[in-house]
Amino acid sequence: MADRLTPAGTRILAAASTLFYEQGIRTVGVDAIAAAAEVTKKTLYDRFGSKDRLIAAYLEHRNRVWHEFLDEQLVLRAPQTAEDVVLALFGALTDWLAGSRNGCGFINASVELAAPDHPAMPVIVGQKQWMRSEFEAQARLAGMADPGELADRLLLLHEGALVSYRVAAMTNATEVAARAAADLLAGWPRLDG
Amino acid sequence: MADRLTPAGTRILAAASTLFYEQGIRTVGVDAIAAAAEVTKKTLYDRFGSKDRLIAAYLEHRNRVWHEFLDEQLVLRAPQTAEDVVLALFGALTDWLAGSRNGCGFINASVELAAPDHPAMPVIVGQKQWMRSEFEAQARLAGMADPGELADRLLLLHEGALVSYRVAAMTNATEVAARAAADLLAGWPRLDG
DNA sequence: GACAGTATACCGACCGGTGTGGTTACTTTC
DNA sequence: GAAAGTAACCACACCGGTCGGTATACTGTC
């Protein structure tokens, strides 16, 4: 988990993160990453072993950054109820995507890697399932009926926004998702009548 | 549009379609396609000019197949109202995805190609916007208020299902989307009270 | 003396794409 | 109805470039 990185290792991971996200994993070669990090390819392979493992490290790093961003946003938005927490998550998505243009790095990676046994796949699926479990936990806290179904639907809106933003050129996708989520929560049956 | 294909051309397009969808566009080389179509690489280039143009032809072909599938499904499901047409579209999605495992070929292509000026990009964006316009048209027919907003939300559910099915390993994604769409339509305000 | 790093050269495999030359089969023209 | 033309195809060899990854040798530092 908390494997300490050498200075050069940190630079490599930072360079890989921006390049992989901005230009795509397959497009970016290891030479380009090494050059951007001002490091020799030897050092890159000493630190990360292979491109595949560097990809996995990139996604783990991106996942950490995403979580930190969410924590920060939740402090900022200070939601009072569990429903508000969910809506804050959708609100945070708009800010996260602002000026990104390439959508979700995890979805992109999943498509680009394709192979189900790729070392980075667990990170990708894990990220999505964490989002779902967060929705479900908040739904349960809010006393919603069938929190599993509600979480599924919220995840659909979440992922739909990410992909429509990128693929369908729907610039307001996250706002639409936020409105849909708000209506969904408002109309959802609760356990205590 | 209706450029007639030679026998070999047809075989090439068929081979490219399955290989591109099943293994990814970047992964599959032109040699593999030529071999699968039992054709020389020369013939492939005589027919399609470049890999990029073959990719565009693949997506146009896939779009045609998708439309034919939808027409067929709409006849089969024989929806009576405009709402039922929308629900039939979501129902068709389940059948379309059954045994596919790789999700939406257009989303995948959009991620794999990345370059916004790629000749295949208009086909991708066009496919998504066609879906949205279809939702909007049916919403308008059904006398729904704000059909644009409704279409946006339906598209989000649609795309969310496609991507969650593949990326989040959510096997029942299309059924969830169908239920969500049904509830959304049922609760949506209409123009005539 | 172990570790992190630089510099550079190299590897085999594969990639998209081209060029040459030859074969079949159908159609046009005198 | 034979010759000429043409479109579709095959076989095969070849190109420059890029890819992920390795090897070797040397430097600085705790």
Side-chain angles (χ1 to χ4, degrees):
Chain A
M1 270 292 134
D3 28 33
R4 204 70 49 79
L5 278 181
T6 63
T10 312
R11 253 153 47 221
I12 293 167
L13 187 54
S17 294
T18 48
L19 286 174
F20 279 156
Y21 178 74
E22 227 106 276
Q23 307 184 26
I25 293 175
R26 306 291 281 246
T27 309
V28 175
V30 285
D31 297 87
I33 297 168
E38 290 181 310
V39 149
T40 349
K41 212 156 45 148
K42 174 76 160 56
T43 305
L44 189 151
Y45 275 91
D46 282 349
R47 291 298 127 247
F48 294 95
S50 69
K51 185 185 181 181
D52 282 336
R53 289 214 265 143
L54 177 56
I55 293 169
Y58 147 61
L59 289 170
E60 277 160 15
H61 173 252
R62 194 172 174 84
N63 201 13
R64 278 197 303 276
V65 174
W66 166 243
H67 275 85
E68 283 160 19
F69 176 81
L70 279 188
D71 288 346
E72 179 186 298
Q73 285 280 315
L74 284 178
V75 170
L76 222 106
R77 293 164 187 265
Q80 299 298 314
T81 66
E83 282 117 304
D84 285 349
V85 171
V86 172
L87 295 181
L89 291 177
F90 276 89
L93 190 60
T94 302
D95 288 11
W96 174 260
L97 237 52
S100 291
R101 201 188 98 261
N102 280 330
C104 176
F106 298 92
I107 295 177
N108 297 350
S110 166
V111 171
E112 285 202 86
L113 303 180
D117 58 338
H118 193 283
M121 273 307 174
V123 189
I124 297 172
V125 180
Q127 197 265 347
K128 295 306 172 195
Q129 288 183 343
W130 181 87
M131 284 302 302
R132 205 208 84 106
S133 74
E134 193 61 22
F135 286 142
E136 185 172 353
Q138 296 300 332
R140 189 162 275 123
L141 271 177
M144 297 291 187
D146 202 349
E149 173 78 10
L150 179 54
D152 281 346
R153 296 193 188 184
L154 288 170
L155 186 67
L156 249 52
L157 287 173
H158 193 264
E159 302 304 296
L162 282 166
V163 79
S164 299
Y165 176 79
R166 175 178 176 156
V167 177
M170 190 169 164
T171 49
N172 64 335
T174 55
E175 286 92 342
V176 173
R179 285 197 295 272
D183 285 356
L184 184 60
L185 287 170
W188 199 262
R190 273 138 229 260
L191 284 179
D192 39 52
Chain B
M1 271 294 135
D3 29 32
R4 203 71 47 80
L5 277 181
T6 63
T10 311
R11 253 154 46 220
I12 293 168
L13 187 54
S17 294
T18 48
L19 287 175
F20 279 156
Y21 177 73
E22 226 104 275
Q23 307 184 26
I25 292 175
R26 307 291 281 247
T27 309
V28 174
V30 285
D31 297 87
I33 296 168
E38 290 183 310
V39 148
T40 22
K41 211 161 41 152
K42 181 70 163 56
T43 304
L44 188 152
Y45 274 91
D46 283 348
R47 293 297 127 249
F48 294 95
S50 71
K51 185 184 181 181
D52 282 336
R53 289 213 265 141
L54 178 57
I55 294 169
Y58 148 62
L59 289 171
E60 278 160 15
H61 173 252
R62 194 172 174 86
N63 201 13
R64 280 198 302 276
V65 174
W66 166 242
H67 275 86
E68 284 160 17
F69 176 81
L70 279 189
D71 287 347
E72 180 187 298
Q73 285 279 315
L74 284 178
V75 169
L76 219 106
R77 293 165 187 264
Q80 301 296 314
T81 65
E83 282 116 305
D84 284 349
V85 171
V86 172
L87 295 182
L89 291 176
F90 276 89
L93 190 61
T94 303
D95 287 12
W96 174 262
L97 237 52
S100 290
R101 202 189 96 259
N102 279 330
C104 176
F106 298 92
I107 295 176
N108 298 350
S110 166
V111 172
E112 286 202 86
L113 303 180
D117 58 339
H118 193 283
M121 272 308 173
V123 189
I124 297 171
V125 180
Q127 198 265 347
K128 294 305 171 198
Q129 288 183 343
W130 181 86
M131 285 301 301
R132 205 207 85 105
S133 74
E134 193 61 21
F135 286 143
E136 185 172 355
Q138 296 300 330
R140 191 162 273 121
L141 272 176
M144 297 291 186
D146 203 349
E149 172 78 8
L150 179 53
D152 281 346
R153 296 195 188 183
L154 287 170
L155 187 67
L156 249 52
L157 288 173
H158 193 264
E159 303 305 297
L162 281 166
V163 78
S164 299
Y165 176 80
R166 177 181 174 153
V167 176
M170 190 171 167
T171 49
N172 65 333
T174 56
E175 287 92 341
V176 174
R179 285 196 295 271
D183 286 355
L184 185 59
L185 288 170
W188 199 262
R190 271 141 231 259
L191 286 178
D192 39 51

